[in-house]
Amino acid sequence: MRVGLVDAGSNTVRLVVTDAAGGVPLPVHTAKWKLRLSEQVGADGHFGAEATEQLVRALRKAVEVARRWGAPQPLAFATAVVRNAPDRAAVLRAVAQDAGVRLCVLPGEVEAELTFLGVRRWMGWRAGPLAVFDIGGGSFEVAFGRGRMPEFAVSLPLGAGRLTNEFLGHDGPPTPDELRALRRRARHQLRDATSRIRWEHPHTVVATSRTFQQLARLCGAAPGRNGPFAERTLRRGDLRRAIDRLAALPVTERAGLPGISVPRARQSLAGAVVGHTAMKLSGVKSLSICPWALREGILLRYLEDGADWWSDTEATYGANGDGDRWDGGRDGLAVKAVSLLPLRSPQP
């Protein structure tokens, strides 16, 4: 059986087609379309006609590619860039009508839960009590748990792209005042979540996302060509020095550093500041980098709980619900944890 998944994120629309024999989603084909939606939406978060049309075209192509690879109806979801849009309902309707895609807009806490599941499956039970940090373009997710699903999950408006636009809105090196303001925001938003992580004293702390992967590479971790099974660690002291390194350079020169890609060079500094602040406030001196995250968590839930789970998810968070059946909370982010159907018993 082949299952396709389409992820409409702040920077990229990404397709992964997997073979799901044995209950493990093994990728057979991936494709991506770099839209940089977070840079195209208006200052107030509205998509507007042009950004919506670009998203529609990318999703239409993703469905065509998935069909050629044997996954005719891929699961499709969007993250914070769509979730926070005031015109989210219009975007979802356009996607459904013009691309034939029922795009799910998951609350941030549900993203955190599913990311935790993906990490737990990859790390296994030996990880023990587990904390997970995940930074995207629009939000930062924190989760902690001892079992398959987290006991605590929160989504915060600390995405690397979001903070870059708010505090570092130019391509030159930041001023000391700009960095101080960014750190102040990160500390304020992370205070409660990191206090919980410090209190829980996790055995293992893991980070996911391309931003954390690139920062780990900048700090000396193995390159991507070494494959997903290479152990990668990010140390807090190394990340602190990386912040100074990134802050001394304009955006065009950051892309020349190890691991920092051109599309993410602009937001790399904000991501580093948030990551370092989360580690420091949580009392975490080092964390492991995990290649599995939200996409794998969704695929695992689909494989373990079946098509009915995804149908229920679509009915709640898809185009018919206009993404408005959950409490948007502050800054358009969900603040109430949501659990989607109990998980079955396969081991991670």
Side-chain angles (χ1 to χ4, degrees):
M1 178 178 69
R2 286 194 171 176
V3 180
L5 181 73
V6 180
D7 171 4
S10 297
N11 294 302
T12 305
V13 171
R14 188 181 300 267
L15 165 71
V16 56
V17 178
T18 65
D19 273 332
V24 180
L26 300 175
V28 295
H29 182 73
T30 61
K32 61 183 179 180
W33 294 265
K34 296 179 180 179
L35 304 185
R36 301 188 186 181
L37 291 173
S38 60
E39 299 177 13
Q40 296 188 49
V41 299
D44 59 357
H46 277 82
F47 260 61
E50 184 175 351
T52 300
E53 178 56 29
Q54 289 195 28
L55 178 60
V56 166
R57 286 200 301 266
L59 290 171
R60 191 183 297 128
K61 292 177 182 177
V63 171
E64 292 172 359
V65 174
R67 185 179 295 115
R68 291 201 299 268
W69 283 85
Q73 293 182 326
L75 318 180
F77 73 97
T79 54
V81 68
V82 176
R83 181 169 67 231
N84 297 339
D87 55 346
R88 177 180 65 242
V91 173
L92 295 179
R93 282 195 296 269
V95 166
Q97 294 169 4
D98 301 335
V101 174
R102 194 174 182 183
L103 194 62
C104 287
V105 183
L106 301 175
E109 274 64 34
V110 175
E111 286 189 16
E113 290 181 352
L114 293 168
T115 299
F116 183 93
L117 172 62
V119 173
R120 172 61 82 185
R121 288 290 191 264
W122 182 271
M123 301 299 294
W125 285 118
R126 68 172 182 166
L130 176 67
V132 176
F133 297 151
D134 178 36
I135 187 168
S139 62
F140 183 86
E141 278 72 52
V142 181
F144 170 83
R146 296 172 176 82
R148 298 181 185 89
M149 300 297 284
E151 300 158 25
F152 167 76
V154 65
S155 180
L156 303 168
L158 293 175
R162 180 184 186 130
L163 294 179
T164 297
N165 292 337
E166 186 172 351
F167 292 96
L168 308 173
H170 56 86
D171 290 341
T175 67
D177 286 344
E178 288 171 336
L179 276 181
R180 277 193 293 270
L182 174 56
R183 287 195 179 98
R184 192 179 306 117
R185 171 67 63 81
R187 286 195 301 268
H188 174 72
Q189 293 285 348
L190 284 164
R191 180 184 57 198
D192 293 340
T194 53
S195 293
R196 174 67 182 267
I197 298 301
R198 186 187 288 271
W199 184 79
E200 294 285 4
H201 197 66
H203 183 269
T204 305
V205 183
V206 173
T208 69
S209 78
R210 289 292 295 164
T211 294
F212 269 121
Q213 290 171 5
Q214 292 192 5
L215 291 171
R217 176 72 186 105
L218 176 62
C219 293
R225 63 176 176 272
N226 286 19
F229 297 107
E231 292 189 10
R232 295 175 173 88
T233 301
L234 179 59
R235 295 176 177 81
R236 193 172 81 201
D238 293 338
L239 185 55
R240 181 63 186 86
R241 287 185 285 275
I243 291 173
D244 294 338
R245 194 175 178 186
L246 291 165
L249 298 174
V251 169
T252 53
E253 295 183 27
R254 289 178 201 161
L257 297 174
I260 305 299
S261 66
V262 173
R264 294 181 184 271
R266 187 168 180 265
Q267 67 182 44
S268 59
L269 176 57
V273 170
V274 172
H276 179 267
T277 303
M279 294 176 73
K280 186 175 181 179
L281 294 180
S282 300
V284 174
K285 293 185 178 180
S286 67
L287 47 76
S288 300
I289 303 298
C290 179
W292 275 15
L294 176 58
R295 287 189 293 271
E296 289 76 16
I298 291 174
L299 288 166
L300 287 164
R301 286 299 303 262
Y302 180 83
L303 296 176
E304 293 169 5
D305 287 336
D308 287 345
W309 170 76
W310 185 250
S311 296
D312 290 343
T313 303
E314 282 187 325
T316 304
Y317 306 120
N320 286 351
D322 288 334
D324 291 326
R325 297 189 184 181
W326 50 277
D327 180 6
R330 296 168 299 173
D331 297 306
L333 294 175
V335 296
K336 181 175 69 174
V338 180
S339 295
L340 301 178
L341 300 180
L343 200 66
R344 293 177 184 171
S345 59
Q347 299 296 311

